Amino acid sequence: MNSEQLFEKAKEYTPGGVHSPVRSFKGLHTTPRFMKKANGAFITDEEDKEYIDFCMSFGPLILGHKNQAVLEKAKEAMENGWSFGAAEKYSLELAQYIVDRIDHIEKVRFMNSGTEAVMTAIRLARGATGKNKILKFNGCYHGHMDQMLIKAGSGLAGEAEASSKGVTPSTAEDTLVCELGDLEEVKNIFKNHSDIAAIFIEPLPANNGLLPQSLEYLKGLRQICDEHNALLVFDEVISGFRTSFGGMAQDTGITPDIVTYGKVIGGGFPVGAVAGKKEVMDLLAPVGGVYQAGTLSANPVAMVAGLATLKQLDDNFYANLKKNTDSIVGIFNEWFAQSEFSDYKIVQQASLFWMVPGGAPSNASQIPANLLERFNRLFEVLLNKGIYLSPNGYEIGFVSAAHNESVQEELKQRLWS
Ligand SMILES: *Cc1c(COP(=O)(O)O)cnc(C)c1O
């Protein structure tokens, strides 16, 4: 069966034929490609068409697909069994490695996804402060727990409503929403609400386009939290181990109270983590009174894969990754200039990039209204050339270590073919 037939079949058995909505190519003119294998920078569909992959599983695969060291370690670990539901050494090694290399992290709790990590961070922040509300930003994504499926409302500043069916109004009441980049708005909200446990932010917003924020702004948030006895939570599920080993906290020198990780930390296996200073982390059960648990948490195969991934991320690695990305962005820019997409710009930070018509927006409200319409065509043109982008205009592109010079040459050939 080809992808089209598989998609029809999958829709009979699964809502929309997929297990995460963006995979359905909703809004695009083409049907999702069913992928069967991947290697390095390439991914291959059921019809044996091979694409240069810039989605890279939405971020975890910083080394590229099927990195050999990760493969070997994961296989080795499997020989010893793959779930113990007991204390084990694999997670100790990964936790210790992270704590040793990141100054602002003293303890880590592993779980299975970024969503779980943020969900736990919300409970932890409430437990630590005894306050109920959380503040988030329009244009940041934090996973699919009820408390974060909230968008700005039409009433008072900060007041919000559910962005998904099935989220209760009382849950929505406990989440406040601001526009990115406006410190005054955040200050005002804190004036009007004494009950804010934490500010949650992607320090590099990368889920609604790429919307880098200024250092002053992020420092301002730190200061507001300090003044109001609220916690600052950096959701580094994308940026952690990506912009640098210590992520945006390291890059900005700002110390958050809690950090959430996901994606790169598991090297493509399901791992999420909450991390921070001892005093906060020890509020988690079984030491403290904030409950959190998981049957498959700290799965040994995933822990070993995560460690085998992180061990490859030294300064040299990040320098090379940046070089790959600069070169790829340069190639796309050159092609854009000569194509029907000549108004496109690329926003780039580290190994992340986002293609956007017009300028570089700094918050969600500035993103051009015709983004998706334009993306539709761009995506299809590139797909036909054997280049696979994340299948939604608001999703960003990811470059890996495998996107090396020979892949860059291949990209040129495909673009100008
Ligand atoms: C991907 C992502 C999440 C959710 O992680 P899942 O593993 O998909 O549950 C949360 N926060 C940020 C910043 C993310 O990029």
Side-chain angles (χ1 to χ4, degrees):
M1 279 199 272
N2 65 25
S3 288
E4 213 157 304
Q5 293 159 330
L6 286 165
F7 190 46
E8 286 313 306
K9 196 87 195 144
K11 283 193 279 192
E12 289 175 28
Y13 295 94
T14 297
V18 291
H19 299 274
S20 194
V22 69
R23 297 179 195 171
S24 72
F25 282 29
K26 197 176 169 187
L28 296 173
H29 294 317
T30 178
T31 47
R33 298 304 185 270
F34 276 59
M35 302 302 183
K36 71 172 172 194
K37 59 181 184 182
N39 196 6
F42 295 92
I43 192 161
T44 305
D45 71 14
E46 289 286 345
E47 287 120 290
D48 286 321
K49 180 159 178 177
E50 177 212 72
Y51 307 86
I52 303 176
D53 187 4
F54 289 105
C55 177
M56 298 308 286
S57 197
F58 294 97
L61 303 170
I62 197 165
L63 304 173
H65 289 284
K66 223 180 108 183
N67 176 264
Q68 286 303 301
V70 176
L71 178 64
E72 265 168 44
K73 291 289 180 188
K75 273 184 176 169
E76 236 176 76
M78 282 191 77
E79 291 293 343
N80 295 327
W82 44 86
S83 191
F84 306 134
E88 36 60 48
K89 205 172 76 173
Y90 305 96
S91 58
L92 167 61
E93 285 174 356
L94 181 56
Q96 194 176 3
Y97 189 77
I98 292 169
V99 169
D100 284 350
R101 282 193 63 183
I102 305 182
D103 289 343
H104 57 279
I105 302 300
E106 292 174 355
K107 287 198 174 182
V108 184
R109 169 65 58 83
F110 293 116
M111 40 208 88
N112 305 292
S113 70
T115 294
E116 258 188 273
V118 175
M119 186 182 75
T120 302
I122 295 171
R123 193 178 306 125
L124 186 55
R126 287 175 171 159
T129 58
K131 302 184 203 180
N132 293 329
K133 289 190 164 44
I134 55 170
L135 177 68
K136 69 176 279 254
F137 298 93
N138 185 24
C140 287
Y141 177 70
H142 300 289
H144 64 93
M145 76 296 293
D146 285 8
Q147 302 101 303
M148 288 297 189
L149 293 179
I150 309 290
K151 61 181 182 197
S154 48
L156 287 175
E159 307 280 306
E161 58 193 53
S163 62
S164 163
K165 286 191 177 170
V167 176
T168 63
S170 64
T171 297
E173 265 174 34
D174 282 334
T175 302
L176 304 162
V177 181
C178 274
E179 204 65 54
L180 279 164
D182 185 352
L183 269 187
E184 288 311 308
E185 191 188 357
V186 178
K187 284 181 191 163
N188 278 332
I189 286 175
F190 270 86
K191 260 186 213 144
N192 297 327
H193 298 273
S194 56
D195 197 22
I196 302 174
I199 294 180
F200 280 75
I201 188 166
E202 285 180 81
L204 175 60
N207 275 287
N208 193 74
L210 192 60
L211 307 170
Q213 299 298 303
S214 73
L215 182 59
E216 288 64 41
Y217 178 68
L218 296 171
K219 280 184 174 162
L221 296 178
R222 175 70 274 179
Q223 197 179 344
I224 293 170
C225 286
D226 291 342
E227 283 165 7
H228 292 88
N229 214 359
L231 303 190
L232 180 63
V233 182
F234 273 7
D235 182 354
E236 301 230 47
V237 170
I238 281 189
S239 55
F241 313 104
R242 169 63 71 170
T243 62
S244 64
F245 196 86
M248 288 297 290
Q250 177 182 313
D251 298 346
T252 59
I254 298 169
T255 305
D257 299 289
I258 301 174
V259 184
T260 53
Y261 293 117
K263 301 195 169 113
V264 174
I265 198 174
F269 288 80
V271 182
V274 173
K277 297 273 183 233
K278 286 182 188 130
E279 306 85 74
V280 180
M281 292 302 293
D282 279 340
L283 296 172
L284 286 174
V287 191
V290 178
Y291 191 69
Q292 186 277 329
T295 301
L296 295 175
S297 284
N299 172 271
V301 181
M303 292 292 105
V304 162
L307 185 59
T309 300
L310 299 194
K311 278 189 169 168
Q312 298 183 49
L313 310 182
D314 57 16
D315 289 348
N316 206 13
F317 173 90
Y318 286 107
N320 274 326
L321 187 60
K322 173 78 165 49
K323 221 169 79 189
N324 284 347
T325 315
D326 290 348
S327 156
I328 281 162
V329 165
I331 294 166
F332 274 121
N333 272 332
E334 199 183 324
W335 180 75
F336 280 145
Q338 301 165 11
S339 74
E340 66 187 281
F341 305 102
S342 58
D343 60 330
Y344 264 73
K345 297 274 182 310
I346 296 185
V347 183
Q348 182 198 346
Q349 186 148 338
S351 52
L352 306 171
F353 68 86
W354 180 43
M355 298 166 170
V356 58
S362 57
N363 68 35
S365 71
Q366 295 169 1
I367 296 174
N370 65 349
L371 177 77
L372 291 180
E373 200 183 304
R374 296 293 309 281
F375 180 77
N376 221 322
R377 167 107 187 118
L378 174 64
F379 181 81
E380 212 171 345
V381 167
L382 293 181
L383 193 73
N384 289 335
K385 290 177 180 290
I387 299 163
Y388 187 79
L389 299 178
S390 304
N392 181 291
Y394 290 96
E395 300 284 353
I396 62 168
F398 297 88
V399 175
S400 79
H403 292 75
N404 56 20
E405 276 174 32
S406 84
V407 174
Q408 292 157 29
E409 277 311 309
E410 181 66 27
L411 175 64
K412 278 186 210 164
Q413 295 206 344
R414 290 187 185 196
L415 279 172
W416 276 276
S417 66

